[in-house]
């Protein structure tokens, strides 16, 4: 294998009520209270020690149903094309997804989470804790996203999601 190719293996599976891709809200912030589970492969369960003390965790996963790579695209919140790396769209070269979800409880190898925006059956690649000291920034800019109002974002961000 060359130095720029890596083998990454899933470490579990993410389950959610989202069975239809086109109806999934586009970020956890639009998925308030939607529950899911993360089933970690048993061999990694030792790595969960002390995670229960964190209210939020990042899930990293593989957008396994993304069939293409688009370097320029119109993301859900915009009518303009943007570079893929200026968006969170799934059609990225390495198909890496990242969602910040609420950690409710852990039972054995199963993590119960809320605010999930991930398709049922998605392969899990990693879990990291949200750490306010490291991850919260003041005085930020959000590029083209700053041109979209919160109202417009919440309408378009929900897509067709119906409880
Ligand atoms: C805009 S992406 C953002 C995902 C993540 N929060 C991020 O920032 O990386 C969210 C959309 O990805 C799509 N999606 C979710 N799980 C997927 C999967 N396993 N494969 C392909 N697309 C998926 C759904 O259509 C969902 O609305």
């Amino acid at each position: 294998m060359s130095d720029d190719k890596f083998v990454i293996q899933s470490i579990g599976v993410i389950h959610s009520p989202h069975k239809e891709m086109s109806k999934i809200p586009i970020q956890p912030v639009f998925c308030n209270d939607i529950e899911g589970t993360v089933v970690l492969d048993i061999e990694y369960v030792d790595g969960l020690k002390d995670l229960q003390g964190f209210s939020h965790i990042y899930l990293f996963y593989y957008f396994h149903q993304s069939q293409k790579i688009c370097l320029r695209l119109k993301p859900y919140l915009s009518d303009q094309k943007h570079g893929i790396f200026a968006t969170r769209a799934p059609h990225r070269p390495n198909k890496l997804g990242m969602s910040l979800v609420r950690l409710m409880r852990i039972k054995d190898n199963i993590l119960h989470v809320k605010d999930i925006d991930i398709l049922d059956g998605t392969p899990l690649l990693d879990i990291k804790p949200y750490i306010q000291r490291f991850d919260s920034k003041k005085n930020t800019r959000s590029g083209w996203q700053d041109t979209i109002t919160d109202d417009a974002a919440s309408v378009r961000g929900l897509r067709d999601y119906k409880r």
Side-chain angles (χ1 to χ4, degrees):
M1 197 181 320
S2 60
D3 285 349
D4 59 356
K5 288 206 168 66
F6 314 94
V7 175
I8 291 189
Q9 206 171 306
S10 72
I11 58 168
V13 181
I14 300 168
H15 291 289
S16 80
H18 303 303
K19 315 283 182 207
E20 217 176 315
M21 195 119 71
S22 62
K23 297 194 169 163
I24 308 177
I26 64 162
Q27 284 293 333
V29 72
F30 303 122
C31 292
N32 207 12
D33 284 342
I34 300 176
E35 294 183 21
T37 52
V38 179
V39 181
L40 188 67
D41 291 350
I42 290 287
E43 66 200 281
Y44 303 110
V45 80
D46 222 26
L48 292 175
K49 181 173 171 351
D50 301 326
L51 188 65
Q52 74 278 358
F54 292 85
S55 62
H56 292 75
I57 55 175
Y58 293 104
L59 299 177
F60 295 89
Y61 49 91
Y62 190 64
F63 283 121
H64 69 311
Q65 294 297 336
S66 166
Q67 312 290 353
K68 55 187 177 183
I69 296 171
C70 295
L71 296 183
R72 291 280 175 100
L73 47 72
K74 286 184 197 167
Y76 304 113
L77 296 192
S78 178
D79 296 322
Q80 311 293 322
K81 283 194 173 183
H82 301 280
I84 184 74
F85 302 119
T87 79
R88 299 288 193 86
H91 307 305
R92 5 189 21 95
N94 282 326
K95 308 199 184 308
L96 184 66
M98 177 193 82
S99 296
L100 181 61
V101 298
R102 257 188 299 159
L103 177 61
M104 307 312 292
R105 63 184 188 283
I106 302 175
K107 177 90 174 75
D108 304 323
N109 65 324
I110 301 183
L111 290 77
H112 294 260
V113 300
K114 281 190 175 176
D115 310 343
I116 195 161
D117 65 338
I118 307 166
L119 186 70
D120 185 45
T122 294
L124 173 73
L125 300 180
D126 205 351
I127 300 170
K128 294 188 186 191
Y130 173 81
I131 300 173
Q132 193 170 38
R133 177 180 292 140
F134 299 160
D135 297 343
S136 172
K137 300 288 175 204
K138 295 195 175 97
N139 305 320
T140 62
R141 289 180 288 118
S142 296
W144 63 266
Q145 284 267 351
D146 283 338
T147 66
I148 318 264
T149 66
D150 287 346
D151 285 349
S154 50
V155 171
R156 290 174 78 155
L158 267 171
R159 300 176 81 193
D160 279 341
Y161 185 74
K162 305 248 182 327
R163 273 177 199 272

